[in-house]
Amino acid sequence: MSSSAGQVIKCKAAVAWEAGKPLVIEEVEVAPPQAMEVRLKILYTSLCHTDVYFWEAKGQTPVFPRIFGHEAGGIVESVGEGVTDLAPGDHVLPVFTGECKDCAHCKSEESNMCSLLRINTDRGVMINDGKSRFSINGKPIFHFVGTSTFSEYTVVHVGCVAKINPEAPLDKVCVLSCGISTGLGATLNVAKPPKGSTVAVFGLGAVGLAAAEGARIAGASRIIGIDVNPKRFNEAKKFGVTEFVNPKDYDKPVQEVLSEITDGGVDRSIECTGNVDAMISAFECVHDGWGVAVLVGVPHKDAAFKTHPMNFLSERTLKGTFFGNYKPRSDLPSVVEKYMNKELELEKFITHEVPFTEINKAFDYMLQGDGLRCIIRMDA
């Protein structure tokens, strides 16, 4: 165990004191891990749209003051009681959803939606005792999705930590702990496009481009990118996208356009926008008889999906996915190995890098729609 094990650690964290206001670098106290928890030293973190969405707090219960961040790579500093499969010094990715390995979901080969540790955006405390491990002058600072990686040290439930190859560069593989794995797994684990097939990807942000990367790895012959922002088209070529459709360029539904240019519809489609109209288009554009559409984007809470039942009866399949159907502890290490053996390229997702003191710049880049992933270096 490290010399700091069992002690409160004082470190720097970027605290969101209120919705939509710039984060403030503060000195926080991080309590030692309790039973089934680990304390991590975060080395690199990146900003995901989910952080921004809950920081803006427009559509959900605001929980402040809070430490955001959930895409990261780090090293185990110390472990709490009962933790046997992690030790200080292990290289890890903390994940916003977990794998307890005991519930019906974890025991199922089909599900990754752990009953105990699945994502909970409203909870700002640890499940062990209902308390936060962060404080400033004795006042609690709330957690975010069980990870809170915008801090030099954080405490996470052991079930939300994936132990990975220590040779893997954490400044690259940290992006696998959320968005990239979500898109990649939606294609490889759920859509499963056959070699030579035609795949449509709706939304060419980081998750959509990861879905396209999955189609490239799977050997799809045509990867059609659909987006209303033509600026994204050039970048998408790096991820295997072979052609582009901007729905704004047509006076008919985009599913009709896709059906025409693919002789009856695409073999697989992956929807990564969360826009319910795009979801309907993604389903209706797949070929009858064998087409599969996969929904990844999170819709508005009042959204309703409407399509004619004949679209199902003509043997089209509609699926949804959460975190690309990856079980965090069991499956993420093998995704890291895909990067290590050069099957998966991660560098092209990383468009910016900032020191921790300039974390608000990462928010600016994302709010301006500039780039894909911004790596935040904790030691800089």
Side-chain angles (χ1 to χ4, degrees):
M1 283 283 182
S2 65
S3 59
S4 50
Q7 310 290 317
V8 169
I9 288 179
K10 287 187 175 181
C11 70
K12 297 226 170 349
V15 177
W17 287 101
E18 53 185 305
K21 293 286 167 66
L23 307 189
V24 182
I25 304 288
E26 304 276 11
E27 184 177 79
V28 299
E29 296 190 338
V30 186
Q34 302 298 307
M36 302 311 287
E37 295 172 1
V38 292
R39 189 161 56 185
L40 310 178
K41 179 178 172 62
I42 299 295
L43 298 181
Y44 300 94
T45 186
S46 68
L47 181 64
C48 166
H49 195 265
T50 307
D51 295 305
V52 176
Y53 180 75
F54 284 92
W55 165 74
E56 290 177 323
K58 287 176 182 169
Q60 67 304 98
T61 317
V63 181
F64 293 95
R66 200 172 210 183
I67 296 171
F68 286 101
H70 65 282
E71 271 190 3
I75 295 173
V76 175
E77 174 269 338
S78 60
V79 303
E81 184 191 332
V83 175
T84 55
D85 51 357
L86 287 172
D90 284 346
H91 286 223
V92 295
L93 302 179
V95 187
F96 65 92
T97 187
E99 182 186 354
C100 71
K101 300 198 174 182
D102 290 324
C103 70
H105 284 278
C106 286
K107 287 179 174 170
S108 157
E109 288 184 9
E110 295 179 50
S111 176
N112 66 339
M113 299 190 71
C114 176
S115 301
L116 179 70
L117 299 169
R118 75 172 65 174
I119 186 170
N120 182 328
T121 55
D122 290 338
R123 187 171 57 227
V125 293
M126 300 301 288
I127 57 174
N128 181 34
D129 59 1
K131 292 178 181 170
S132 173
R133 302 287 173 263
F134 298 109
S135 61
I136 296 178
N137 299 326
K139 291 190 175 153
I141 307 293
F142 294 111
H143 295 251
F144 177 63
V145 296
T147 51
S148 292
T149 60
F150 295 165
S151 174
E152 291 174 326
Y153 288 86
T154 188
V155 176
V156 182
H157 190 285
V158 66
C160 299
V161 180
K163 180 180 173 180
I164 61 162
N165 182 344
E167 301 293 311
L170 289 170
D171 60 332
K172 306 293 188 292
V173 298
C174 64
V175 299
L176 289 173
S177 61
C178 178
I180 310 309
S181 296
T182 295
L184 186 74
T187 304
L188 295 178
N189 299 336
V190 188
K192 297 179 180 170
K195 200 170 172 40
S197 59
T198 298
V199 178
V201 177
F202 286 74
L204 299 175
V207 176
L209 291 174
E213 178 80 352
R216 181 190 71 76
I217 291 169
S221 61
R222 290 175 75 184
I223 303 173
I224 305 168
I226 298 102
D227 203 297
V228 294
N229 180 359
K231 287 182 186 163
R232 288 180 160 176
F233 292 167
N234 218 26
E235 183 78 8
K237 290 175 186 169
K238 296 180 196 167
F239 300 83
V241 176
T242 55
E243 54 208 281
F244 305 97
V245 172
N246 183 343
K248 288 182 173 174
D249 292 345
Y250 300 89
D251 53 10
K252 57 185 163 188
V254 72
Q255 53 267 47
E256 289 180 23
V257 177
L258 292 165
S259 184
E260 284 168 17
I261 65 172
T262 57
D263 194 22
V266 300
D267 302 308
R268 300 289 186 269
S269 74
I270 298 103
E271 195 292 319
C272 304
T273 71
N275 176 301
V276 74
D277 294 323
M279 292 179 173
I280 294 164
S281 297
F283 175 54
E284 294 183 353
C285 80
V286 300
H287 206 291
D288 58 2
W290 62 79
V292 179
V294 178
L295 305 185
V296 181
V298 179
H300 188 273
K301 65 182 190 322
D302 300 324
F305 185 100
K306 291 176 183 166
T307 191
H308 198 282
M310 278 308 298
N311 289 322
F312 292 100
L313 295 173
S314 51
E315 300 183 359
R316 291 177 181 87
T317 301
L318 179 64
K319 293 183 170 186
T321 176
F322 170 70
F323 192 51
N325 212 226
Y326 287 120
K327 292 179 185 276
R329 296 159 83 182
S330 302
D331 298 335
L332 273 193
S334 64
V335 184
V336 169
E337 292 312 309
K338 274 189 200 294
Y339 168 75
M340 295 300 281
N341 63 29
K342 301 194 164 40
E343 190 185 346
L344 166 65
E345 298 167 16
L346 292 178
E347 284 81 0
K348 59 195 178 187
F349 287 98
I350 298 164
T351 50
H352 297 89
E353 197 173 296
V354 297
F356 186 41
T357 52
E358 295 175 23
I359 189 169
N360 288 303
K361 268 193 188 167
F363 280 75
D364 294 339
Y365 292 137
M366 185 156 285
L367 291 167
Q368 290 155 12
D370 184 4
L372 296 171
R373 280 292 182 268
C374 178
I375 301 294
I376 299 153
R377 299 189 312 277
M378 302 304 287
D379 60 349

